[in-house]
Amino acid sequence: MSDTSSYDAPKAEAFAGRLLEALNQGALCLMTSIGHRTGLFDAMRDQPPLTSAELAARAGLHERYVREWLGAMFTSGVVETVPGSDRYRLPAEHAAYLTRAAGADNMAVFGQYIGVLGSVEDDIVECFTRGGGVPYARFPRFHAVMAEDSGQSVMSSLESHILPLVPGLTDRFRSGIRMLDVGCGQGRVMIRLAELFPRSRFVGMDLSVDATDAARTDAAAHGLANIEFSAKDLSDFDRTAEPEAYDFITTFDAVHDQARPLNVLTGIRRALKPDGVYLMQEIKGSSHVHANRDHPLGTFLYTVSCMHCMTVSLAQGGEGLGAMWGEEMTRDYLARAGFRSVEKHELAHDVQNNWYVVRK
């Protein structure tokens, strides 16, 4: 029998209010994603107040849907109305974080994850009962969203902040080196580097056939002859990696998704030249959940982990490390893979990731 003598009614009411707000914020994420994907935020940027019909015409969309979307945007405080009228405006201060013109500050990109993850909720619920995982094939939009995400956290600062983490790397690229990106997705980072450094050679590997096909198509559209992509299961990379073949190897939030992450890391070490460098981007956090209590993205990252990162690994019969495997476990795996030098860096603009410069 539960003890009700210590029941804190104000605490319960506050928690109920928090859950009510969570419903609104979750709904806002879905509508933010729609506003991004349909171009509605972009259509409102720098515009005078518009009616739903004017906005729909400007964006090339159906007015009835635009009108309902505006209702969600107004009640959430994202857009404002002209008093006494049916006209809406997007404040410049909000457009600075919701439009493509905002570049790396466009938070609307991340709202897409909620819809993507929600699409597999039934599969995840079933996994809670029977175990196993949900395969990559059940996430048809994930790589496209990840490519946009990469544009925010990596592409926007690739030349200014990320390459300088390895002293002399840019000069080596100009002279000509061989680079491998493990878990390359749609290859946006590699394609950009191949454009910048035509004397270097670039190889991207990923489990997803769809992602590597898209990367190959994009590279061809850019007329690049110094880059190649292949779909490959890297579970046995510790044995199949070409020995001492690459000067520079990268993983961008990719190791924790792998079925056999230690094998992948061991293979990376095997593939790295003696004087080579491995740059590893991984989620910032602790391996101990209690230490993540105040993480600014903790709930979001554990959710992404449960509904994608962990489950795609388990679907392959893998370890299911999950996105929040943490710095302590990351360092342990690197040591077990045979690496002896690990330097951690944090970038001011990137609250989500740690950047490890790793050498043999």
Side-chain angles (χ1 to χ4, degrees), residues 33 257 306-307:
S33 175
D257 290 345
C306 181
M307 300 188 74

Side-chain angles (χ1 to χ4, degrees), residues 133-145:
V134 181
Y136 274 109
R138 293 286 293 127
F139 298 86
R141 285 201 69 242
F142 194 85
H143 280 290
V145 176

Side-chain angles (χ1 to χ4, degrees), residues 284-296:
K284 184 184 299 184
S286 172
S287 303
H288 309 292
V289 65
H290 64 271
N292 294 320
R293 179 68 176 82
D294 296 322
H295 194 298

Side-chain angles (χ1 to χ4, degrees), residues 345-357:
H345 299 265
E346 298 180 46
L347 302 180
H349 75 281
D350 187 359
V351 299
Q352 179 174 298
N353 297 289
N354 286 328
W355 297 80
Y356 301 94
V357 176

Side-chain angles (χ1 to χ4, degrees), residues 162-298:
I162 295 172
L163 295 184
L165 291 174
V166 182
L169 179 60
T170 300
D171 289 337
R172 294 186 69 191
F173 267 130
R174 291 194 183 103
S175 297
I177 59 174
R178 196 172 183 217
M179 174 185 169
L180 168 67
D181 186 23
V182 174
C184 64
Q186 294 187 352
R188 290 185 65 183
V189 173
M190 297 286 279
I191 289 170
R192 176 59 178 157
L193 290 173
E195 286 182 306
L196 288 172
F197 306 111
R199 291 185 178 180
S200 290
R201 304 288 302 179
F202 300 88
V203 176
M205 298 179 183
D206 197 281
L207 180 66
S208 171
V209 173
D210 290 341
T212 50
D213 282 348
R216 204 174 293 113
T217 299
D218 195 11
H222 284 77
L224 297 171
N226 61 335
I227 190 168
E228 60 186 89
F229 295 96
S230 62
K232 183 176 176 62
D233 182 349
L234 298 173
S235 297
D236 60 355
F237 202 47
D238 57 324
R239 293 181 288 106
T240 60
E242 183 181 357
E244 299 185 357
Y246 298 96
D247 303 277
F248 185 52
I249 301 179
T250 54
T251 55
F252 296 101
D253 279 342
V255 172
H256 61 259
D257 290 345
Q258 303 297 318
R260 301 284 180 267
L262 183 57
N263 288 0
V264 172
L265 290 172
T266 303
I268 288 173
R269 186 183 185 281
R270 172 187 170 104
L272 202 61
K273 292 182 179 180
D275 62 346
V277 177
Y278 167 37
L279 179 63
M280 179 190 203
Q281 178 198 34
E282 274 295 333
I283 297 297
K284 184 184 299 184
S286 172
S287 303
H288 309 292
V289 65
H290 64 271
N292 294 320
R293 179 68 176 82
D294 296 322
H295 194 298
L297 290 170

Side-chain angles (χ1 to χ4, degrees), residues 30-58:
L30 289 172
M31 293 306 242
T32 298
S33 175
I34 289 173
H36 173 73
R37 295 178 66 187
T38 59
L40 279 164
F41 290 129
D42 299 315
M44 294 187 79
R45 175 179 171 269
D46 292 337
Q47 292 299 303
L50 301 169
T51 65
S52 59
E54 290 169 341
L55 177 58
R58 180 172 172 78

